[in-house]
Amino acid sequence: MHGLVNKLVQSFIEDIYNPDMWDAVVRDSKFEFRDFEAMLVYDDDVTDLAIDGAARVLGKSRDMVLEDIGAYLVTHKNMEPVRRLLRFGGHTFEEFLYSLDDLPDRVTLAIPDLEMPTMEIREYTRHNHTLVCTWRKPGFGSVLLGMLRALGDDYGVLLMLEMSRIVDGKFARETIKIELLEIDFSEGREFHLAADGTG
Amino acid sequence: MPLHIQISDLGHIEHVGPTLTKLCNGKQVLGRRFLEVFEVRRPAHIDSFTALRRLENGPIKLLFRDGPSYLMKGLFVQLESEHRILINLSLGVHVVDAVSDYDLRSADFAHSDPTVDMLYLIEAKSVALDESKRLNARLEGAKVLAEEQAYTDMLTGLKNRRASEALLAKLEQSSAVFGLMHLDLDYFKQVNDTFGHAAGDHVLRHVAGALKAATRAGDLIARVGGDEFVLVFCDCVDMVVLDRIARRIIELLEEPILFEGQICRISASIGATLSSFYEHARINTMMNDADQALYISKDRGRARHTFFEPQL
């Protein structure tokens, strides 16, 4: 997995909890180094070790940690560049949902080494969608769940989300049901295409 | 098409796309002559409507005469049946500035236009590049540190044999003048035997301090063996100066060294040579000659300095 993913786990722990907590994860996972490098590529195992270590140290389930990471990606000020890149996808939350089909390709265009799961958005009614995420292991779905919930707040809409999962040896399919309850629920957060610090 | 211009059969602007309107700086352009509002850069010499009329369908580059300085490129099409002209434009690389200057939104660009993808790409690459630069800086720092450590004698903090060899190789390549000194401590073995290795280590550290005190900041002091040292004096041709330094070193080293209540006494035997003694200074030769001079110092009773002399 790309260093960015591992670095994300580290940043999440350091920013939401504190650096000592990350030291605890490093010890628990028996890593030989303290810091991940965002621009290097690591073995898949390393990411799993980091997440499992985080789950143990925090006393939460893997899924809960992954969901929190998803929310962190959208809400924390240190992750502002990520939030911006997600909001490029759509002016409204609905538009954003449709852009999820393109998200993996866009990310690959920007960072070719960063592997992304396959994502497919299906519309049932205007306010009912499902997002199907397929990858060789479960986990991304939980991150997306946390991310979508936080993005709902960011766009100012009220959502109901539910995830189900099928794991079948070589692959995992995670399906998130997204129901848009209210479009103008709250102000949401501002976003400008221009990256000059105002949004 | 948010960035289009529709021109009437008489050359007046009939319609402009909503995004282009935003770029007009609030000025009214509908009804005005196209060539009054815009300057055509390519193809060249389009100074009149007649010239515009004769243009074939194809690429066009134009710019506002009184507006943002973005050179816009697009497609020029003659709508034959209606005698109208349609130009569909793109901001190209200027989209980054335009988005910032005019607070444009994703809705201001055609869905068939990869503009938003391009902005996304620019931003994502820029974040990735920043992170890469930081990684490079960290790696550079680590490399410098590693090199430092590779050239350092851990016990004394002086340079080591590798460092002296590297410097001498460089000096041999250039036509620089320099002095070379080989120094062996006298009676050091006795200190170790009598007072133990901790005392020996303490003495070595003391020696390092003395050598630094007697030499200039730019001179290289390397510990190349248990009690053996090599000193390289850059820009040195003066035997008198080098001799003075050697005597000073011996003077400092002969001062009694205190360790845990015990007094340790040492001295030094020194052999030196200068690159200016040779027509073509070769490191191997100079090292041998310095060694020879060192041997003579020992042979004559130690605690002294000898210069290499060719006839020896």
Side-chain angles (χ1 to χ4, degrees), chain A residues 64-117:
Chain A
M64 288 224 61
V65 172
L66 291 168
E67 256 187 73
D68 288 346
I69 290 178
Y72 164 75
L73 269 173
V74 175
T75 55
H76 200 273
K77 61 174 162 52
N78 290 352
M79 292 287 123
E80 181 63 13
V82 178
R83 173 196 165 252
R84 281 189 56 79
L85 291 169
L86 287 168
R87 286 214 50 171
F88 262 92
H91 196 49
T92 62
F93 185 75
E94 262 184 275
E95 246 187 68
F96 163 76
L97 282 181
Y98 292 126
S99 79
L100 285 174
D101 282 334
D102 296 327
L103 184 64
D105 285 337
R106 270 189 175 172
V107 170
T108 306
L109 196 61
I111 305 179
D113 293 325
L114 181 55
E115 292 177 286
M116 288 242 92

Short mmCIF file of all heavy atoms in Angstrom, two decimals, chain A residues 64-117:
data_model
loop_
_atom_site.label_atom_id
_atom_site.label_comp_id
_atom_site.label_asym_id
_atom_site.label_seq_id
_atom_site.Cartn_x
_atom_site.Cartn_y
_atom_site.Cartn_z
N MET A 64 -14.47 0.61 13.57
CA MET A 64 -14.67 1.91 14.20
C MET A 64 -13.49 2.83 13.90
O MET A 64 -13.66 4.01 13.61
CB MET A 64 -14.79 1.75 15.72
CG MET A 64 -16.09 1.13 16.15
SD MET A 64 -16.79 2.01 17.57
CE MET A 64 -17.03 3.62 16.88
N VAL A 65 -12.29 2.26 14.00
CA VAL A 65 -11.08 3.06 13.72
C VAL A 65 -11.12 3.55 12.28
O VAL A 65 -10.87 4.72 11.99
CB VAL A 65 -9.80 2.23 13.95
CG1 VAL A 65 -8.57 3.00 13.48
CG2 VAL A 65 -9.65 1.88 15.43
N LEU A 66 -11.48 2.65 11.36
CA LEU A 66 -11.52 3.03 9.94
C LEU A 66 -12.57 4.10 9.67
O LEU A 66 -12.35 5.03 8.89
CB LEU A 66 -11.78 1.79 9.07
CG LEU A 66 -10.60 0.80 9.03
CD1 LEU A 66 -11.03 -0.53 8.40
CD2 LEU A 66 -9.44 1.39 8.26
N GLU A 67 -13.72 3.98 10.34
CA GLU A 67 -14.76 5.00 10.17
C GLU A 67 -14.27 6.34 10.68
O GLU A 67 -14.48 7.38 10.04
CB GLU A 67 -16.00 4.62 10.99
CG GLU A 67 -17.13 4.08 10.16
CD GLU A 67 -18.38 3.88 10.99
OE1 GLU A 67 -19.02 4.89 11.34
OE2 GLU A 67 -18.71 2.70 11.29
N ASP A 68 -13.62 6.32 11.83
CA ASP A 68 -13.08 7.58 12.38
C ASP A 68 -12.05 8.19 11.44
O ASP A 68 -11.97 9.40 11.29
CB ASP A 68 -12.43 7.33 13.75
CG ASP A 68 -13.47 7.06 14.84
OD1 ASP A 68 -14.67 7.33 14.59
OD2 ASP A 68 -13.09 6.58 15.93
N ILE A 69 -11.26 7.33 10.81
CA ILE A 69 -10.26 7.83 9.85
C ILE A 69 -10.97 8.50 8.68
O ILE A 69 -10.55 9.55 8.20
CB ILE A 69 -9.34 6.70 9.37
CG1 ILE A 69 -8.41 6.25 10.50
CG2 ILE A 69 -8.50 7.13 8.17
CD1 ILE A 69 -7.47 5.11 10.16
N GLY A 70 -12.06 7.89 8.22
CA GLY A 70 -12.84 8.47 7.13
C GLY A 70 -13.34 9.86 7.48
O GLY A 70 -13.26 10.79 6.69
N ALA A 71 -13.84 10.00 8.70
CA ALA A 71 -14.34 11.30 9.14
C ALA A 71 -13.20 12.30 9.26
O ALA A 71 -13.30 13.46 8.87
CB ALA A 71 -15.06 11.16 10.48
N TYR A 72 -12.09 11.83 9.79
CA TYR A 72 -10.89 12.66 9.98
C TYR A 72 -10.43 13.26 8.65
O TYR A 72 -10.09 14.44 8.57
CB TYR A 72 -9.79 11.80 10.60
CG TYR A 72 -8.38 12.35 10.54
CD1 TYR A 72 -7.98 13.38 11.37
CD2 TYR A 72 -7.44 11.79 9.67
CE1 TYR A 72 -6.68 13.87 11.32
CE2 TYR A 72 -6.14 12.28 9.62
CZ TYR A 72 -5.77 13.31 10.45
OH TYR A 72 -4.48 13.78 10.40
N LEU A 73 -10.52 12.47 7.59
CA LEU A 73 -10.10 12.91 6.25
C LEU A 73 -10.86 14.14 5.79
O LEU A 73 -10.37 14.93 5.01
CB LEU A 73 -10.38 11.82 5.22
CG LEU A 73 -9.29 10.79 4.94
CD1 LEU A 73 -9.85 9.72 4.03
CD2 LEU A 73 -8.12 11.47 4.28
N VAL A 74 -12.08 14.26 6.25
CA VAL A 74 -12.93 15.35 5.78
C VAL A 74 -12.98 16.52 6.75
O VAL A 74 -13.14 17.66 6.36
CB VAL A 74 -14.38 14.84 5.56
CG1 VAL A 74 -15.31 15.98 5.18
CG2 VAL A 74 -14.39 13.79 4.47
N THR A 75 -12.81 16.23 8.04
CA THR A 75 -13.04 17.28 9.02
C THR A 75 -11.80 17.95 9.59
O THR A 75 -11.87 19.10 10.01
CB THR A 75 -13.86 16.74 10.21
OG1 THR A 75 -13.15 15.61 10.75
CG2 THR A 75 -15.25 16.32 9.80
N HIS A 76 -10.67 17.25 9.64
CA HIS A 76 -9.52 17.84 10.33
C HIS A 76 -8.80 18.87 9.47
O HIS A 76 -8.62 18.67 8.27
CB HIS A 76 -8.54 16.74 10.76
CG HIS A 76 -7.62 17.17 11.85
ND1 HIS A 76 -6.42 17.82 11.58
CD2 HIS A 76 -7.72 17.11 13.19
CE1 HIS A 76 -5.82 18.10 12.73
NE2 HIS A 76 -6.58 17.68 13.72
N LYS A 77 -8.32 19.93 10.10
CA LYS A 77 -7.67 21.00 9.34
C LYS A 77 -6.40 20.52 8.64
O LYS A 77 -6.05 21.01 7.58
CB LYS A 77 -7.36 22.22 10.22
CG LYS A 77 -6.41 21.93 11.38
CD LYS A 77 -6.07 23.25 12.08
CE LYS A 77 -5.50 23.09 13.48
NZ LYS A 77 -4.39 22.18 13.64
N ASN A 78 -5.71 19.54 9.22
CA ASN A 78 -4.51 19.03 8.54
C ASN A 78 -4.83 18.25 7.27
O ASN A 78 -3.95 17.98 6.47
CB ASN A 78 -3.71 18.11 9.48
CG ASN A 78 -3.05 18.89 10.60
OD1 ASN A 78 -3.07 20.11 10.59
ND2 ASN A 78 -2.50 18.18 11.57
N MET A 79 -6.08 17.85 7.13
CA MET A 79 -6.51 17.09 5.95
C MET A 79 -7.26 17.97 4.97
O MET A 79 -7.92 17.46 4.05
CB MET A 79 -7.39 15.90 6.37
CG MET A 79 -6.63 14.84 7.13
SD MET A 79 -5.55 13.91 6.02
CE MET A 79 -3.98 14.16 6.81
N GLU A 80 -7.17 19.26 5.13
CA GLU A 80 -7.90 20.18 4.26
C GLU A 80 -7.67 19.92 2.77
O GLU A 80 -8.61 19.94 1.98
CB GLU A 80 -7.53 21.63 4.63
CG GLU A 80 -8.23 22.71 3.82
CD GLU A 80 -9.74 22.74 3.99
OE1 GLU A 80 -10.27 22.09 4.92
OE2 GLU A 80 -10.41 23.38 3.17
N PRO A 81 -6.42 19.63 2.35
CA PRO A 81 -6.23 19.34 0.92
C PRO A 81 -7.09 18.17 0.44
O PRO A 81 -7.59 18.19 -0.67
CB PRO A 81 -4.74 18.98 0.82
CG PRO A 81 -4.11 19.67 1.98
CD PRO A 81 -5.14 19.66 3.07
N VAL A 82 -7.26 17.16 1.30
CA VAL A 82 -8.07 16.01 0.90
C VAL A 82 -9.53 16.41 0.78
O VAL A 82 -10.21 16.07 -0.19
CB VAL A 82 -7.94 14.86 1.92
CG1 VAL A 82 -8.82 13.68 1.51
CG2 VAL A 82 -6.50 14.42 2.03
N ARG A 83 -10.00 17.16 1.75
CA ARG A 83 -11.39 17.60 1.72
C ARG A 83 -11.65 18.40 0.44
O ARG A 83 -12.66 18.22 -0.22
CB ARG A 83 -11.69 18.46 2.96
CG ARG A 83 -13.07 19.10 2.89
CD ARG A 83 -13.26 20.23 3.89
NE ARG A 83 -14.43 21.00 3.51
CZ ARG A 83 -14.38 22.22 2.98
NH1 ARG A 83 -13.24 22.82 2.80
NH2 ARG A 83 -15.51 22.84 2.65
N ARG A 84 -10.70 19.27 0.10
CA ARG A 84 -10.84 20.07 -1.11
C ARG A 84 -10.95 19.18 -2.33
O ARG A 84 -11.83 19.38 -3.18
CB ARG A 84 -9.62 21.00 -1.27
CG ARG A 84 -9.67 22.24 -0.40
CD ARG A 84 -8.58 23.20 -0.78
NE ARG A 84 -8.63 23.55 -2.19
CZ ARG A 84 -9.45 24.43 -2.71
NH1 ARG A 84 -10.33 25.06 -1.94
NH2 ARG A 84 -9.42 24.68 -4.00
N LEU A 85 -10.06 18.21 -2.42
CA LEU A 85 -10.06 17.34 -3.59
C LEU A 85 -11.36 16.55 -3.69
O LEU A 85 -11.85 16.29 -4.78
CB LEU A 85 -8.84 16.41 -3.57
CG LEU A 85 -7.52 17.16 -3.78
CD1 LEU A 85 -6.33 16.26 -3.49
CD2 LEU A 85 -7.42 17.68 -5.21
N LEU A 86 -11.94 16.19 -2.55
CA LEU A 86 -13.22 15.47 -2.58
C LEU A 86 -14.33 16.41 -3.06
O LEU A 86 -15.16 16.03 -3.88
CB LEU A 86 -13.56 14.92 -1.19
CG LEU A 86 -12.71 13.72 -0.75
CD1 LEU A 86 -12.92 13.44 0.73
CD2 LEU A 86 -13.04 12.50 -1.58
N ARG A 87 -14.33 17.64 -2.60
CA ARG A 87 -15.39 18.57 -2.96
C ARG A 87 -15.31 19.07 -4.39
O ARG A 87 -16.28 19.58 -4.92
CB ARG A 87 -15.43 19.74 -1.97
CG ARG A 87 -16.01 19.28 -0.65
CD ARG A 87 -16.82 20.27 0.09
NE ARG A 87 -17.85 20.94 -0.67
CZ ARG A 87 -18.77 21.71 -0.11
NH1 ARG A 87 -18.78 21.86 1.20
NH2 ARG A 87 -19.65 22.34 -0.85
N PHE A 88 -14.15 18.86 -5.01
CA PHE A 88 -14.04 19.16 -6.44
C PHE A 88 -15.03 18.31 -7.21
O PHE A 88 -15.45 18.65 -8.30
CB PHE A 88 -12.63 18.79 -6.95
CG PHE A 88 -11.70 19.96 -7.03
CD1 PHE A 88 -10.89 20.30 -5.98
CD2 PHE A 88 -11.65 20.72 -8.19
CE1 PHE A 88 -10.03 21.37 -6.06
CE2 PHE A 88 -10.78 21.79 -8.28
CZ PHE A 88 -9.96 22.12 -7.21
N GLY A 89 -15.38 17.19 -6.62
CA GLY A 89 -16.26 16.25 -7.30
C GLY A 89 -17.65 16.78 -7.57
O GLY A 89 -18.29 16.41 -8.54
N GLY A 90 -18.13 17.66 -6.72
CA GLY A 90 -19.50 18.10 -6.95
C GLY A 90 -19.86 19.36 -6.21
O GLY A 90 -19.42 19.59 -5.09
N HIS A 91 -20.66 20.16 -6.88
CA HIS A 91 -21.16 21.40 -6.32
C HIS A 91 -22.19 21.09 -5.24
O HIS A 91 -22.26 21.74 -4.21
CB HIS A 91 -21.81 22.18 -7.46
CG HIS A 91 -22.02 23.61 -7.14
ND1 HIS A 91 -21.04 24.40 -6.62
CD2 HIS A 91 -23.12 24.39 -7.25
CE1 HIS A 91 -21.52 25.61 -6.43
NE2 HIS A 91 -22.78 25.63 -6.80
N THR A 92 -22.99 20.04 -5.48
CA THR A 92 -23.99 19.60 -4.50
C THR A 92 -23.61 18.19 -4.06
O THR A 92 -22.82 17.52 -4.71
CB THR A 92 -25.38 19.52 -5.13
OG1 THR A 92 -25.32 18.54 -6.19
CG2 THR A 92 -25.81 20.86 -5.68
N PHE A 93 -24.20 17.74 -2.99
CA PHE A 93 -23.90 16.41 -2.49
C PHE A 93 -24.25 15.33 -3.52
O PHE A 93 -23.52 14.38 -3.71
CB PHE A 93 -24.63 16.13 -1.18
CG PHE A 93 -24.25 14.81 -0.57
CD1 PHE A 93 -23.02 14.65 0.07
CD2 PHE A 93 -25.10 13.71 -0.64
CE1 PHE A 93 -22.64 13.43 0.61
CE2 PHE A 93 -24.74 12.49 -0.09
CZ PHE A 93 -23.51 12.34 0.54
N GLU A 94 -25.36 15.54 -4.21
CA GLU A 94 -25.78 14.57 -5.23
C GLU A 94 -24.74 14.48 -6.34
O GLU A 94 -24.37 13.40 -6.76
CB GLU A 94 -27.08 15.03 -5.87
CG GLU A 94 -28.31 14.37 -5.32
CD GLU A 94 -29.52 14.82 -6.08
OE1 GLU A 94 -30.06 15.89 -5.73
OE2 GLU A 94 -29.89 14.14 -7.04
N GLU A 95 -24.29 15.66 -6.81
CA GLU A 95 -23.26 15.69 -7.84
C GLU A 95 -22.01 14.98 -7.34
O GLU A 95 -21.36 14.24 -8.09
CB GLU A 95 -22.87 17.13 -8.15
CG GLU A 95 -23.23 17.59 -9.54
CD GLU A 95 -22.65 18.96 -9.81
OE1 GLU A 95 -21.40 19.05 -9.90
OE2 GLU A 95 -23.43 19.91 -9.91
N PHE A 96 -21.68 15.22 -6.08
CA PHE A 96 -20.51 14.58 -5.49
C PHE A 96 -20.66 13.06 -5.55
O PHE A 96 -19.73 12.33 -5.91
CB PHE A 96 -20.29 15.04 -4.05
CG PHE A 96 -19.36 14.13 -3.30
CD1 PHE A 96 -17.99 14.18 -3.53
CD2 PHE A 96 -19.86 13.18 -2.42
CE1 PHE A 96 -17.14 13.30 -2.87
CE2 PHE A 96 -19.01 12.30 -1.76
CZ PHE A 96 -17.65 12.36 -1.99
N LEU A 97 -21.84 12.54 -5.19
CA LEU A 97 -22.06 11.10 -5.23
C LEU A 97 -21.77 10.54 -6.62
O LEU A 97 -21.13 9.51 -6.76
CB LEU A 97 -23.50 10.75 -4.84
CG LEU A 97 -23.83 10.77 -3.35
CD1 LEU A 97 -25.29 10.38 -3.14
CD2 LEU A 97 -22.91 9.85 -2.56
N TYR A 98 -22.25 11.25 -7.63
CA TYR A 98 -22.01 10.77 -9.00
C TYR A 98 -20.54 10.81 -9.36
O TYR A 98 -20.07 10.01 -10.15
CB TYR A 98 -22.84 11.57 -10.01
CG TYR A 98 -24.31 11.30 -9.86
CD1 TYR A 98 -25.22 12.33 -9.68
CD2 TYR A 98 -24.79 9.98 -9.86
CE1 TYR A 98 -26.56 12.07 -9.50
CE2 TYR A 98 -26.13 9.72 -9.69
CZ TYR A 98 -27.01 10.76 -9.50
OH TYR A 98 -28.33 10.52 -9.32
N SER A 99 -19.82 11.71 -8.76
CA SER A 99 -18.39 11.81 -9.08
C SER A 99 -17.60 10.66 -8.48
O SER A 99 -16.45 10.43 -8.85
CB SER A 99 -17.82 13.13 -8.57
OG SER A 99 -17.56 13.07 -7.18
N LEU A 100 -18.20 9.93 -7.55
CA LEU A 100 -17.48 8.82 -6.92
C LEU A 100 -17.09 7.74 -7.93
O LEU A 100 -16.11 7.05 -7.75
CB LEU A 100 -18.30 8.20 -5.78
CG LEU A 100 -18.32 9.05 -4.52
CD1 LEU A 100 -19.27 8.45 -3.49
CD2 LEU A 100 -16.93 9.18 -3.93
N ASP A 101 -17.85 7.64 -9.00
CA ASP A 101 -17.50 6.70 -10.07
C ASP A 101 -16.11 7.04 -10.61
O ASP A 101 -15.34 6.15 -10.96
CB ASP A 101 -18.49 6.82 -11.24
CG ASP A 101 -19.79 6.10 -10.95
OD1 ASP A 101 -19.78 5.16 -10.15
OD2 ASP A 101 -20.81 6.50 -11.55
N ASP A 102 -15.83 8.36 -10.71
CA ASP A 102 -14.56 8.81 -11.29
C ASP A 102 -13.43 8.92 -10.28
O ASP A 102 -12.27 9.06 -10.65
CB ASP A 102 -14.72 10.21 -11.90
CG ASP A 102 -15.69 10.21 -13.04
OD1 ASP A 102 -15.74 9.18 -13.75
OD2 ASP A 102 -16.37 11.23 -13.23
N LEU A 103 -13.78 8.91 -9.00
CA LEU A 103 -12.77 9.17 -7.97
C LEU A 103 -11.53 8.28 -8.09
O LEU A 103 -10.42 8.80 -8.10
CB LEU A 103 -13.38 9.06 -6.57
CG LEU A 103 -12.44 9.42 -5.41
CD1 LEU A 103 -12.04 10.89 -5.50
CD2 LEU A 103 -13.10 9.15 -4.07
N PRO A 104 -11.68 6.96 -8.22
CA PRO A 104 -10.47 6.14 -8.32
C PRO A 104 -9.58 6.54 -9.51
O PRO A 104 -8.38 6.60 -9.37
CB PRO A 104 -11.01 4.72 -8.49
CG PRO A 104 -12.37 4.76 -7.87
CD PRO A 104 -12.89 6.12 -8.16
N ASP A 105 -10.19 6.83 -10.65
CA ASP A 105 -9.39 7.23 -11.82
C ASP A 105 -8.69 8.55 -11.59
O ASP A 105 -7.54 8.73 -11.97
CB ASP A 105 -10.27 7.34 -13.06
CG ASP A 105 -10.64 5.98 -13.60
OD1 ASP A 105 -9.91 5.01 -13.31
OD2 ASP A 105 -11.67 5.88 -14.31
N ARG A 106 -9.41 9.50 -11.00
CA ARG A 106 -8.79 10.81 -10.75
C ARG A 106 -7.61 10.66 -9.82
O ARG A 106 -6.56 11.27 -10.02
CB ARG A 106 -9.81 11.73 -10.08
CG ARG A 106 -10.62 12.50 -11.06
CD ARG A 106 -11.42 13.53 -10.31
NE ARG A 106 -12.13 14.38 -11.23
CZ ARG A 106 -13.03 15.26 -10.86
NH1 ARG A 106 -13.32 15.39 -9.58
NH2 ARG A 106 -13.63 16.01 -11.75
N VAL A 107 -7.78 9.87 -8.76
CA VAL A 107 -6.69 9.68 -7.80
C VAL A 107 -5.49 9.05 -8.49
O VAL A 107 -4.36 9.48 -8.28
CB VAL A 107 -7.15 8.81 -6.61
CG1 VAL A 107 -5.97 8.42 -5.75
CG2 VAL A 107 -8.19 9.55 -5.79
N THR A 108 -5.77 8.03 -9.34
CA THR A 108 -4.67 7.35 -10.05
C THR A 108 -3.94 8.32 -10.96
O THR A 108 -2.72 8.24 -11.12
CB THR A 108 -5.22 6.18 -10.88
OG1 THR A 108 -5.97 5.34 -10.02
CG2 THR A 108 -4.09 5.38 -11.50
N LEU A 109 -4.69 9.26 -11.56
CA LEU A 109 -4.07 10.26 -12.43
C LEU A 109 -3.09 11.12 -11.63
O LEU A 109 -2.01 11.45 -12.09
CB LEU A 109 -5.18 11.14 -13.02
CG LEU A 109 -4.82 12.00 -14.22
CD1 LEU A 109 -4.40 11.14 -15.38
CD2 LEU A 109 -6.01 12.85 -14.62
N ALA A 110 -3.49 11.42 -10.41
CA ALA A 110 -2.65 12.28 -9.59
C ALA A 110 -1.48 11.51 -8.97
O ALA A 110 -0.35 11.97 -8.95
CB ALA A 110 -3.48 12.92 -8.48
N ILE A 111 -1.76 10.32 -8.46
CA ILE A 111 -0.73 9.51 -7.81
C ILE A 111 -0.83 8.08 -8.33
O ILE A 111 -1.55 7.25 -7.78
CB ILE A 111 -0.90 9.52 -6.28
CG1 ILE A 111 -0.92 10.96 -5.79
CG2 ILE A 111 0.24 8.76 -5.63
CD1 ILE A 111 -1.10 11.08 -4.31
N PRO A 112 -0.10 7.78 -9.40
CA PRO A 112 -0.22 6.47 -10.06
C PRO A 112 -0.01 5.27 -9.14
O PRO A 112 -0.62 4.23 -9.34
CB PRO A 112 0.86 6.52 -11.14
CG PRO A 112 1.08 7.96 -11.39
CD PRO A 112 0.85 8.66 -10.09
N ASP A 113 0.84 5.40 -8.11
CA ASP A 113 1.12 4.24 -7.26
C ASP A 113 0.06 3.99 -6.20
O ASP A 113 0.13 2.99 -5.48
CB ASP A 113 2.46 4.43 -6.53
CG ASP A 113 3.62 4.42 -7.50
OD1 ASP A 113 3.55 3.68 -8.49
OD2 ASP A 113 4.60 5.16 -7.25
N LEU A 114 -0.87 4.91 -6.05
CA LEU A 114 -1.85 4.75 -4.97
C LEU A 114 -3.01 3.88 -5.44
O LEU A 114 -3.80 4.26 -6.28
CB LEU A 114 -2.37 6.14 -4.54
CG LEU A 114 -3.39 6.19 -3.41
CD1 LEU A 114 -2.87 5.49 -2.18
CD2 LEU A 114 -3.72 7.63 -3.09
N GLU A 115 -3.08 2.69 -4.88
CA GLU A 115 -4.13 1.75 -5.28
C GLU A 115 -5.45 2.16 -4.65
O GLU A 115 -5.51 2.52 -3.48
CB GLU A 115 -3.79 0.34 -4.80
CG GLU A 115 -2.61 -0.27 -5.51
CD GLU A 115 -2.31 -1.64 -4.91
OE1 GLU A 115 -1.77 -1.69 -3.79
OE2 GLU A 115 -2.63 -2.64 -5.55
N MET A 116 -6.50 2.05 -5.45
CA MET A 116 -7.82 2.42 -4.94
C MET A 116 -8.80 1.29 -5.23
O MET A 116 -8.66 0.60 -6.23
CB MET A 116 -8.31 3.68 -5.66
CG MET A 116 -7.57 4.92 -5.27
SD MET A 116 -8.73 6.08 -4.52
CE MET A 116 -8.55 5.64 -2.84
N PRO A 117 -9.81 1.12 -4.39
CA PRO A 117 -10.81 0.08 -4.68
C PRO A 117 -11.68 0.51 -5.85
O PRO A 117 -11.66 1.68 -6.24
CB PRO A 117 -11.66 0.06 -3.40
CG PRO A 117 -11.53 1.43 -2.86
CD PRO A 117 -10.14 1.90 -3.20
#
